[in-house]
Amino acid sequence: MSRMEPSSAIVRRSLHDELVDRVGRLIVDGRLSPGQKVPEKELCARFGVSRTPLREALKVLAAEGLVTLSPNRGAAVSEVTEADLDEVFPVMGVLEALAGELAAARITEKELARIRNWHAAMLKHFAVRDLAGYFALNEKIHDAIFAAARNETLSAQYRQLAARVRRVRYVAKMSDRLWTKSVGEHEQMVAALEARDGRRLAAVLKRHLATKQRTVRVWLAKQSPSVPR
Amino acid sequence: MSRMEPSSAIVRRSLHDELVDRVGRLIVDGRLSPGQKVPEKELCARFGVSRTPLREALKVLAAEGLVTLSPNRGAAVSEVTEADLDEVFPVMGVLEALAGELAAARITEKELARIRNWHAAMLKHFAVRDLAGYFALNEKIHDAIFAAARNETLSAQYRQLAARVRRVRYVAKMSDRLWTKSVGEHEQMVAALEARDGRRLAAVLKRHLATKQRTVRVWLAKQSPSVPR
DNA sequence: TGACTGAATTTTGAATTCATAATTTCCTAC
DNA sequence: GTAGGAAATTATGAATTCAAAATTCAGTCA
C-alpha cells in the first residue's frame, strides 16, 4: 500500500495544540491588542471548537506570558511594559550569544550559504527601505542561527521570549540611523559565522540585540502616552 | 477583626494553577517516575477534582517539558536523557551567569548576609556528609542569587529548566571528590558576591554548573542500563 | 439629574456527559 | 498451547451542562 503524501496528510494534532498556535499568532501579530479581554465565545465560533480546548490553550499561553489570567474574570492579552523589555532583552541576549557560539561551531556549509543568500536579499530590501521584506528575512536569518545551534531547548526558550516582545519589535519603525547600524551588524554576523568565530558572533549578536532594544524603546515611549488604558 | 493565619487561609487560586504546582512537584521529586503514564483518574481522586482542571494542568506541564502528550494516549512523565542534559545545562549555564552578573550589581547587604549564613550552615552539613541538608541550603542559595538579580523573567526561565533536571540532579549522589570541589566553588561564589565582582561570579557559576553536570552524568550513566524501557 | 440597590444577564470555572480511539479480555481455529 | 481476531472495557478528547461570580441594566429615591 502506498504511503500518503506527507503534505496532504492531516496531521491530527490535538485541538488545544493547534489553538495555542493560532491564538498565539493572533496575539503576536497584533490582531488581539494588549490589554484587551480575550473574547472566548467569539474565538470558539471562529475556530469552530468548544470552550474546553480553547481554555486549555489559554492556560498554556498564560504560562508563556502572552495572556494574563485573573480569577473569575478570565483571560486578557498581556501588556508589554518597558519594565518587561528590561527583563526580557537581557535574557534574550545571553540566549542569542549562546546560540551564536554553538552555531559557529556546528553550522554546515549549506546552511551558511543559505544565510548568505538571505543576507544579500535583505540588503536589497534595505536599499529600497522595504521594512516588511527586511524583517521577514531578518527573522529567517535569526531562526537559521538557532537551527544551526542544534539545541531545541535553547530555541524553544528563545522563541517564547521573542513571542512576548515581537508584537512590539516588528512594529517598531526604525530610524534610518538605527536601521543602517542594524544592517552593519548583520554584515558582521555573517562574517563571524564564515570565520566560525563563536566568541565574535556572540558579541555581535549581543550588540545587535541592544540596538533592537533601543529601537523598541523609542517606539514604546512614543506609543505609551497615547494608550490610556 | 483579626487577620487569619496566612498558612490556614485558602488563597483561592484556580484549580488548574494549583494542580500545575502539585502535579509538577510529584514529578520533580520523583513520586511519578519518568516514562510512567500519568494516572489521570487516580490523581483526580487524590486531589478531589474533575478531569477538566487536571487536564488543563497537564497541558501546561507539557509545555514546560515535564510531561509528554501523545495523541489519543494521554500524558506520560517525560524521560530525561543524556541528550536532554546536553541541551539543558548549557542554557542553564548562561542564565546562571547572567543572574550572577545582575546579582553582584544589585544584591543588598542584608541578602548577602543571609547567603553567608546559609553558606556557613551548608558547610556544617558537608562536614557530616548530610546530602539532603546540604542540597536544601544549596538550593536556597541559588534561589537567593536569582532573587537578587531582580529579573522575574530570568528566574522563571531558569526554574522551568531546573525542574526538568532536578529529579536527576538531586538524586545524584556526589562522589566525595566532586562534592568537595562543589563546596570550594560555593566558597568562591560568596567571595565574588562580597567583592561584587559580577564577571567573576558569572565564571564561578558556570564552572559550578559544569561540575554539577558531571555529577549528573555519572549518575545517569550508572542508572540507564538498569532502566529497560 | 444622579447615585444607589437589586434583579436579569452574561461570563467564568469546573463537573459531567458523550463519541471515538486504544487496550484488554476472551474465544476460536489451527 | 498459541496466534488471531471480535467483543467488552477503559481511556481519551472534546462538547455540553451547571453553579457561582461578575457585569449590566432598570428602577427607586434623594
Side-chain angles (χ1 to χ4, degrees):
Chain A
M1 192 230 254
S2 83
R3 189 177 279 260
M4 216 182 230
E5 265 298 304
S7 63
S8 70
I10 295 171
V11 183
R12 188 71 175 118
R13 289 201 292 168
S14 61
L15 287 183
H16 103 271
D17 205 21
E18 183 80 30
L19 286 171
V20 169
D21 256 34
R22 305 285 288 276
V23 179
R25 238 188 324 255
L26 287 184
I27 293 170
V28 167
D29 55 50
R31 310 264 285 277
L32 292 172
S33 41
Q36 188 188 342
K37 252 184 35 174
V38 177
E40 235 178 61
K41 227 172 153 186
E42 191 184 312
L43 291 180
C44 286
R46 152 123 60 139
F47 294 122
V49 300
S50 77
R51 283 175 61 221
T52 306
L54 177 66
R55 301 182 92 257
E56 286 170 351
L58 290 177
K59 310 288 191 235
V60 173
L61 291 171
E64 289 177 357
L66 285 181
V67 311
T68 306
L69 302 176
S70 336
N72 289 322
R73 37 183 66 189
V77 178
S78 300
E79 316 229 23
V80 184
T81 68
E82 201 158 337
D84 286 329
L85 297 180
D86 288 341
E87 285 208 346
V88 173
F89 271 95
V91 181
M92 285 176 75
V94 297
L95 295 181
E96 279 207 358
L98 176 58
E101 295 224 30
L102 295 175
R106 299 174 177 177
I107 197 168
T108 65
E109 244 339 293
K110 207 168 152 189
E111 289 175 310
L112 189 48
R114 198 157 30 185
I115 287 180
R116 243 186 253 114
N117 283 341
W118 285 333
H119 180 65
M122 201 179 74
L123 289 183
K124 287 194 194 127
H125 288 294
F126 173 61
V128 298
R129 298 298 189 273
D130 165 18
L131 196 63
Y134 176 84
F135 270 143
L137 283 164
N138 181 60
E139 199 165 352
K140 275 195 183 199
I141 291 172
H142 281 270
D143 286 352
I145 289 174
F146 275 88
R150 318 259 188 268
N151 185 324
E152 202 29 61
T153 302
L154 174 59
S155 298
Q157 297 290 99
Y158 185 81
R159 243 196 319 274
Q160 205 175 304
L161 295 180
R164 278 174 61 186
V165 300
R166 188 176 303 133
R167 35 198 168 138
V168 178
R169 219 173 141 190
Y170 288 99
V171 171
K173 292 223 162 41
M174 286 170 152
S175 73
D176 214 75
R177 203 182 69 70
L178 282 176
W179 196 350
T180 307
K181 190 163 150 59
S182 188
V183 170
E185 284 158 0
H186 262 268
E187 204 81 61
Q188 292 179 284
M189 275 169 41
V190 175
L193 264 176
E194 272 170 348
R196 309 204 172 243
D197 185 341
R199 201 57 62 87
R200 191 160 115 239
L201 180 53
V204 174
L205 283 168
K206 224 163 183 173
R207 199 162 54 240
H208 185 54
L209 197 70
T211 303
K212 205 139 247 169
Q213 181 170 13
R214 234 182 309 160
T215 311
V216 173
R217 247 235 172 75
V218 170
W219 180 82
L220 199 66
K222 227 180 301 183
Q223 216 63 6
S224 56
S226 71
V227 177
R229 183 83 332 212
Chain B
M1 193 226 252
S2 83
R3 186 178 279 259
M4 216 181 230
E5 267 296 305
S7 63
S8 70
I10 296 174
V11 182
R12 191 71 175 119
R13 288 199 293 167
S14 62
L15 288 184
H16 104 271
D17 204 21
E18 183 81 30
L19 286 170
V20 168
D21 256 34
R22 304 286 286 276
V23 179
R25 229 175 347 241
L26 287 183
I27 293 171
V28 166
D29 55 50
R31 308 264 287 278
L32 291 172
S33 40
Q36 189 187 341
K37 253 183 37 174
V38 177
E40 234 178 60
K41 226 172 153 187
E42 192 183 311
L43 291 180
C44 286
R46 153 125 58 142
F47 294 123
V49 300
S50 76
R51 282 175 61 218
T52 305
L54 178 64
R55 301 182 92 255
E56 287 171 350
L58 289 177
K59 310 287 191 235
V60 173
L61 292 171
E64 289 177 357
L66 285 181
V67 311
T68 306
L69 303 176
S70 334
N72 289 321
R73 39 184 66 192
V77 179
S78 299
E79 316 228 24
V80 184
T81 67
E82 201 160 334
D84 288 329
L85 297 180
D86 289 343
E87 286 208 345
V88 173
F89 271 95
V91 181
M92 286 176 74
V94 296
L95 296 180
E96 279 206 359
L98 175 59
E101 295 223 31
L102 295 175
R106 299 172 177 178
I107 197 167
T108 66
E109 246 335 297
K110 205 167 155 191
E111 290 174 310
L112 189 49
R114 197 155 32 180
I115 287 181
R116 242 187 252 111
N117 283 341
W118 284 334
H119 180 65
M122 202 178 73
L123 290 182
K124 287 194 193 126
H125 288 294
F126 172 61
V128 298
R129 298 298 189 273
D130 165 17
L131 196 64
Y134 175 85
F135 270 142
L137 283 164
N138 181 58
E139 199 165 351
K140 276 196 181 200
I141 291 172
H142 281 271
D143 286 352
I145 289 175
F146 274 88
R150 317 257 187 270
N151 185 324
E152 201 28 63
T153 302
L154 175 60
S155 298
Q157 297 288 101
Y158 185 80
R159 246 197 315 275
Q160 205 175 305
L161 296 180
R164 278 174 61 187
V165 300
R166 189 176 303 134
R167 34 197 169 139
V168 177
R169 220 172 140 188
Y170 288 98
V171 169
K173 293 223 161 42
M174 285 170 155
S175 72
D176 214 76
R177 202 181 70 69
L178 282 177
W179 196 350
T180 306
K181 188 163 153 60
S182 187
V183 169
E185 284 158 359
H186 262 268
E187 204 81 59
Q188 291 178 285
M189 277 169 40
V190 175
L193 264 176
E194 272 170 348
R196 308 204 172 243
D197 185 341
R199 202 56 63 87
R200 191 160 115 238
L201 179 53
V204 174
L205 283 168
K206 226 164 181 173
R207 198 161 54 240
H208 185 54
L209 197 69
T211 303
K212 205 139 248 171
Q213 182 170 13
R214 233 181 310 161
T215 311
V216 172
R217 249 236 170 73
V218 169
W219 180 82
L220 199 66
K222 229 181 297 184
Q223 217 63 6
S224 55
S226 72
V227 176
R229 180 97 337 206

PDB file of all heavy atoms in Angstrom, chain A residues 56 124 163:
ATOM      1  N   GLU A  56      -7.949  25.403  27.506  1.00  0.00           N
ATOM      2  CA  GLU A  56      -6.677  24.714  27.708  1.00  0.00           C
ATOM      3  C   GLU A  56      -5.553  25.514  27.055  1.00  0.00           C
ATOM      4  O   GLU A  56      -4.488  25.717  27.644  1.00  0.00           O
ATOM      5  CB  GLU A  56      -6.747  23.304  27.122  1.00  0.00           C
ATOM      6  CG  GLU A  56      -7.588  22.346  27.958  1.00  0.00           C
ATOM      7  CD  GLU A  56      -7.854  21.019  27.263  1.00  0.00           C
ATOM      8  OE1 GLU A  56      -7.531  20.887  26.065  1.00  0.00           O
ATOM      9  OE2 GLU A  56      -8.389  20.112  27.904  1.00  0.00           O
ATOM     10  N   LYS A 124      18.923  44.119  -0.313  1.00  0.00           N
ATOM     11  CA  LYS A 124      18.117  44.741  -1.378  1.00  0.00           C
ATOM     12  C   LYS A 124      16.876  45.395  -0.782  1.00  0.00           C
ATOM     13  O   LYS A 124      16.494  46.489  -1.183  1.00  0.00           O
ATOM     14  CB  LYS A 124      17.720  43.696  -2.427  1.00  0.00           C
ATOM     15  CG  LYS A 124      18.897  43.280  -3.303  1.00  0.00           C
ATOM     16  CD  LYS A 124      18.436  42.513  -4.533  1.00  0.00           C
ATOM     17  CE  LYS A 124      19.617  41.818  -5.208  1.00  0.00           C
ATOM     18  NZ  LYS A 124      19.375  40.370  -5.412  1.00  0.00           N
ATOM     19  N   ALA A 163       8.378  35.797  21.281  1.00  0.00           N
ATOM     20  CA  ALA A 163       6.943  35.992  21.054  1.00  0.00           C
ATOM     21  C   ALA A 163       6.412  37.112  21.940  1.00  0.00           C
ATOM     22  O   ALA A 163       5.572  37.897  21.513  1.00  0.00           O
ATOM     23  CB  ALA A 163       6.191  34.693  21.328  1.00  0.00           C
TER      24      ALA A 163
END
